[in-house]
């Protein structure tokens, strides 16, 4: 797919759904899906193939704004693949091919006039392994601002992002020291600060706490709850208790790249519609 020079800044123009009626209960999403009046992300029949292998099967899901949506399911069921569809990171995998539509603020991110780099400014990402750059703490956070040639007060934005990532108090006197000197949990919060510094609308998190100890994990979970007041968070996690603790909505993917159920987290964990989901949640398989 071509990547023309125009960017995705215009996504805000088309705030209404491109498919009127998609928010009518039962008209979109898995049959048990919740009614979401103002989804920020709408996935419509998204399928992904790696070469001839299909990794995702026609995923349809409306993701609400400024809430936490957790994606859970056994290894290899396509959770990370779906996450990478949202900000077109799959574009970077040569064998990957995406079919279907994925709307962000009403704009299909796979339209030819969307610039993936500009899209990723609006949809930041945090990975499993903390991956700060071998740069100072300040420069790590300012990285995205430099790329977008931000002409405001960089130091103020760095401070704001570090506060937003609950790291400021721990690092405010060492902003010129390397980000690599921090503990694993601090490094992950630094990566979250880096992700939110350009003021995105959505933050994607791919198992952000799985490499951390319980204390650092708990700090990240608290942080996710805080940042979801300002940003939409979509998190892939293997930890079902974590999904139950921190998310508002949960999507359950199962083997073969199928989204079996998507609903309010409480419903998924207490009274899922599908036996396969109940079996997975209760540990009978997966
Ligand atoms: N870059 C790639 N090239 C080829 N196949 C891939 C690639 N990435 C993922 N796959 C395949 O796509 C399927 C879905 O993988 P994906 O990583 O999205 O699943 P997942 O649910 O996130 O798994 P995990 O929980 O183990 O991270 C798997 O069969 C995987 O082997």
């Amino acid at each position: 797919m071509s990547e023309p020079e125009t960017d995705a800044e215009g996504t805000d123009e088309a705030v209404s759904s491109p498919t009127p009626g998609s928010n009518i209960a039962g008209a979109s999403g898995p049959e048990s899906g919740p009614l979401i009046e103002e989804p920020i992300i709408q996935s419509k029949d998204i399928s992904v193939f790696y070469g001839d292998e299909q990794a995702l099967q026609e995923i349809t899901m409306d993701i609400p704004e400024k809430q936490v949506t957790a994606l859970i399911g056994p290894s290899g069921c396509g959770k990370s693949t779906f996450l990478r569809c949202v900000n077109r990171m799959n574009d970077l995998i040569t064998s990957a091919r995406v079919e279907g539509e994925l709307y962000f603020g009403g704009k299909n991110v796979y339209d030819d006039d969307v610039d993936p780099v500009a899209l990723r400014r609006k949809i930041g990402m945090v990975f499993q392994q903390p991956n700060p750059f071998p740069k100072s703490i300040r420069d790590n956070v300012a990285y995205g601002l430099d790329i977008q040639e931000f002409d405001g007060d960089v130091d103020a934005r760095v401070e704001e992002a570090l506060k937003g990532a609950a790291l400021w108090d721990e690092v405010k006197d060492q902003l010129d020291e390397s980000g690599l000197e921090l503990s694993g949990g601090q490094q992950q919060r630094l990566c979250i600060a880096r992700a939110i510094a350009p003021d995105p609308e959505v933050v994607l998190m791919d198992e952000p706490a799985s490499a951390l100890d319980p204390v650092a994990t708990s700090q990240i979970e608290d942080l996710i709850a805080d940042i979801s007041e300002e940003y939409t968070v979509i998190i892939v996690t293997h930890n079902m208790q974590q999904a139950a603790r921190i998310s508002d909505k949960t999507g359950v993917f199962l083997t073969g790249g199928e989204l079996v159920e998507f609903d309010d987290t409480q419903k998924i964990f207490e009274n899922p519609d599908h036996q396969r989901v109940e079996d997975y949640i209760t540990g009978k398989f997966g």
Side-chain angles (χ1 to χ4, degrees), residues 127-161:
F127 299 89
Q128 179 174 6
Q129 289 292 338
N131 60 347
F133 302 129
K135 293 169 174 278
S136 69
I137 292 168
R138 176 189 284 105
D139 287 351
N140 263 282
V141 181
Y143 180 79
L145 302 175
D146 291 345
I147 289 184
Q148 70 181 71
E149 296 174 358
F150 176 71
D151 59 4
D153 184 341
V154 172
D155 282 345
R157 188 65 85 82
V158 166
E159 179 175 338
E160 192 187 339

Side-chain angles (χ1 to χ4, degrees), residues 244 250 252 261 263-274 277-278 281-282:
T250 296
V252 186
E261 196 161 336
D263 215 319
D264 294 336
T265 295
Q266 194 173 357
K267 168 136 178 49
I268 292 285
F269 282 90
E270 291 179 4
N271 184 26
D273 286 338
H274 294 76
V277 171
E278 184 165 336
I281 300 280
T282 55

Side-chain angles (χ1 to χ4, degrees), residues 217-218 221 225 239-248 265 269:
T217 296
S218 166
E221 289 185 6
N239 181 332
M240 278 190 273
Q241 287 77 19
Q242 182 173 75
R245 276 193 299 268
I246 66 172
S247 69
D248 303 288
T265 295
F269 282 90

Side-chain angles (χ1 to χ4, degrees), residues 213-249:
D213 65 34
V215 172
T217 296
S218 166
Q219 287 173 325
I220 295 287
E221 289 185 6
D222 290 347
L223 176 53
I224 289 169
D226 287 348
I227 66 173
S228 70
E229 287 176 15
E230 206 169 331
Y231 307 101
T232 301
V233 176
I234 310 176
I235 178 171
V236 166
T237 178
H238 270 121
N239 181 332
M240 278 190 273
Q241 287 77 19
Q242 182 173 75
R245 276 193 299 268
I246 66 172
S247 69
D248 303 288
K249 298 278 188 291

Side-chain angles (χ1 to χ4, degrees), residues 19 29 39 44 47 55 59 94 116 135 138-139 186 195 234 253 255 276-277 283:
T19 50
K44 305 269 184 204
S47 294
I59 305 300
T94 321
K135 293 169 174 278
R138 176 189 284 105
D139 287 351
Q186 288 175 320
I234 310 176
F253 288 73
T255 310
R276 285 187 294 162
V277 171

Side-chain angles (χ1 to χ4, degrees), residues 19-286:
T19 50
S22 65
N23 291 337
I24 296 169
S28 70
E31 60 195 60
S32 60
L35 171 63
I36 296 171
E37 294 195 355
E38 287 193 28
I40 188 169
I41 304 281
Q42 294 178 283
S43 169
K44 305 269 184 204
D45 293 327
I46 282 282
S47 294
V48 178
F49 302 81
Y50 295 105
D52 294 334
E53 295 294 321
Q54 185 163 4
L56 279 182
Q57 296 185 41
E58 298 179 358
I59 305 300
T60 292
M61 173 165 46
D62 284 359
I63 293 184
E65 189 171 16
K66 294 186 182 174
Q67 291 192 19
V68 179
T69 295
L71 307 180
I72 63 172
S75 202
C77 64
K79 306 177 296 292
S80 300
T81 297
F82 179 78
L83 208 62
R84 290 195 300 264
C85 287
V86 178
N87 67 348
R88 289 187 48 175
M89 289 288 277
N90 286 324
D91 288 15
L92 308 175
I93 300 174
T94 321
S95 66
R97 178 167 57 85
V98 178
E99 289 181 358
E101 293 148 22
L102 195 139
Y103 295 95
F104 166 47
K107 171 77 175 168
N108 184 2
V109 305
Y110 288 95
D111 279 351
D112 284 346
D113 63 350
V114 171
D115 173 3
V117 175
L119 177 71
R120 289 174 207 138
R121 232 181 271 144
K122 298 268 189 185
I123 305 181
M125 193 155 188
V126 176
F127 299 89
Q128 179 174 6
Q129 289 292 338
N131 60 347
F133 302 129
K135 293 169 174 278
S136 69
I137 292 168
R138 176 189 284 105
D139 287 351
N140 263 282
V141 181
Y143 180 79
L145 302 175
D146 291 345
I147 289 184
Q148 70 181 71
E149 296 174 358
F150 176 71
D151 59 4
D153 184 341
V154 172
D155 282 345
R157 188 65 85 82
V158 166
E159 179 175 338
E160 192 187 339
L162 285 167
K163 283 180 173 164
L167 188 58
W168 173 252
D169 288 341
E170 290 160 63
V171 302
K172 63 183 179 211
D173 298 322
Q174 57 187 92
L175 294 177
D176 292 320
E177 291 174 22
S178 170
L180 300 176
E181 307 278 305
L182 299 172
S183 71
Q186 288 175 320
Q187 287 189 14
Q188 195 61 306
R189 280 180 282 145
L190 179 63
C191 293
I192 292 171
R194 186 175 67 195
I196 63 177
D199 200 24
E201 292 181 35
V202 179
V203 181
L204 309 176
M205 297 187 166
D206 198 348
E207 300 184 48
S210 64
L212 305 179
D213 65 34
V215 172
T217 296
S218 166
Q219 287 173 325
I220 295 287
E221 289 185 6
D222 290 347
L223 176 53
I224 289 169
D226 287 348
I227 66 173
S228 70
E229 287 176 15
E230 206 169 331
Y231 307 101
T232 301
V233 176
I234 310 176
I235 178 171
V236 166
T237 178
H238 270 121
N239 181 332
M240 278 190 273
Q241 287 77 19
Q242 182 173 75
R245 276 193 299 268
I246 66 172
S247 69
D248 303 288
K249 298 278 188 291
T250 296
V252 186
F253 288 73
L254 292 177
T255 310
E258 190 189 348
L259 176 66
V260 177
E261 196 161 336
F262 174 64
D263 215 319
D264 294 336
T265 295
Q266 194 173 357
K267 168 136 178 49
I268 292 285
F269 282 90
E270 291 179 4
N271 184 26
D273 286 338
H274 294 76
Q275 187 63 42
R276 285 187 294 162
V277 171
E278 184 165 336
D279 289 348
Y280 177 68
I281 300 280
T282 55
K284 288 197 182 132
F285 81 92

